[in-house]
Amino acid sequence: MTFAGGGRFVRGGCPACTGRLLDERVARRDELAEAVAATEVRIAAAARAAGRERSELTLVAVSKTWPASDVLLLASLGLHDFGENRVQEVVRKAADVAAGMAGGVRWHFVGRLQRNKCRTVAGFATLVHSVDRPELVTALAGGAVVVGRQLDVLLQVSLDRDPSRGGALPRDIPGLAGAVTASPSLRLRGVMAVAPLGAPPRPAFARLRETSEALRRDYPDAVIVSAGMSEDFADAVAEGATHLRIGSALFGKRPAVP
Ligand SMILES: *Cc1c(COP(=O)(O)O)cnc(C)c1O
């Protein structure tokens, strides 16, 4: 079957344009399939080097800035977990993805969160990675009650003490954990961090591992460690990461945000 021209596939618009769109879609599918395969090779190598199993690792494809059509293509290639960092963007995208497939995907919220967006996030997120202050615990707990579900959350740990990049200081984690576990509508599942800028990631991920181990002594179910991005995930795997948040290695370089 050829995609070019074929008037049979056209519902309005010019046949040549429809053919070109289909060609572009096929080319993008090939590109994404190659990126998934290459990323899986890197993940397998990182797991092997760390003496761990691939099955211990969840790949979260960070689809921020990329269209719903890319999410649908990756879903057709077997990916189910997608990460986003802007509430408005993911709400629109999630609707388009839901309209384009049966079953749907799992959305992870990985960005800086504002209190007034918590109810919306509680409505769609499978896992909120970025809880870093008490007011978010309160707002997410309330939002989860309103939408009638229990919400899984991670505590974001600051590894560089730069408040503009998000995250709570390690010494504030026990207090936040207590607040989450005191909220029946929330479930504490673990920790998340972003490597510091301009410093080697491995020692930072080692500090995250210590924070995770301390947390698990009090809350044995808080087993998730969300760490590692396209450039540094091998170091994260070596330090016990369970959820890898990978964007550009899968989708390509993000278009500059105006
Ligand atoms: C964008 C983003 C990622 C993915 O980064 P890449 O370098 O593109 O893999 C991971 N985590 C968070 C919190 C992000 O904002």
Side-chain angles (χ1 to χ4, degrees), residues 135-156:
E135 65 174 30
L136 295 181
V137 176
T138 313
L140 285 170
V145 168
V146 169
V147 300
R149 54 190 297 245
Q150 210 182 25
L151 185 63
D152 285 352
V153 304
L154 305 180
L155 302 179
Q156 184 176 348

Side-chain angles (χ1 to χ4, degrees), residues 62 64 85 110-111 192 194 228-231 245-249 254:
V62 179
K64 65 189 186 198
N85 69 343
V110 305
M192 175 272 214
V194 179
M229 318 204 309
S230 293
E231 299 301 323
R245 308 180 310 268
I246 300 184
S248 46
R254 275 182 293 281

Side-chain angles (χ1 to χ4, degrees), residues 60-64 66 83-85 109-112 129-130 156 192-194 226 228-233 244-254:
V60 179
V62 179
S63 48
K64 65 189 186 198
W66 299 100
E84 291 280 341
N85 69 343
F109 193 78
V110 305
R112 300 224 63 191
H129 292 230
S130 44
Q156 184 176 348
M192 175 272 214
V194 179
S226 166
M229 318 204 309
S230 293
E231 299 301 323
D232 59 21
F233 70 76
L244 315 178
R245 308 180 310 268
I246 300 184
S248 46
L250 292 170
F251 293 94
K253 195 170 160 352
R254 275 182 293 281

Side-chain angles (χ1 to χ4, degrees), residues 27-102:
R28 182 60 170 156
R29 186 178 196 281
D30 290 348
E31 196 170 68
L32 289 172
E34 239 173 79
V36 170
T39 301
E40 281 296 340
V41 168
R42 290 177 59 200
I43 293 175
R48 211 177 312 113
R52 301 180 61 198
E53 299 289 333
R54 169 64 180 90
S55 58
E56 298 171 37
L57 307 170
T58 299
L59 169 56
V60 179
V62 179
S63 48
K64 65 189 186 198
T65 76
W66 299 100
S69 56
D70 277 358
V71 173
L72 288 166
L73 286 170
L74 282 181
S76 77
L77 292 165
L79 275 68
H80 307 294
D81 292 275
F82 292 86
E84 291 280 341
N85 69 343
R86 286 208 179 78
V87 176
Q88 239 85 326
E89 180 182 346
V90 60
V91 165
R92 236 180 300 119
K93 209 177 289 184
D96 290 346
V97 168
M101 71 181 289

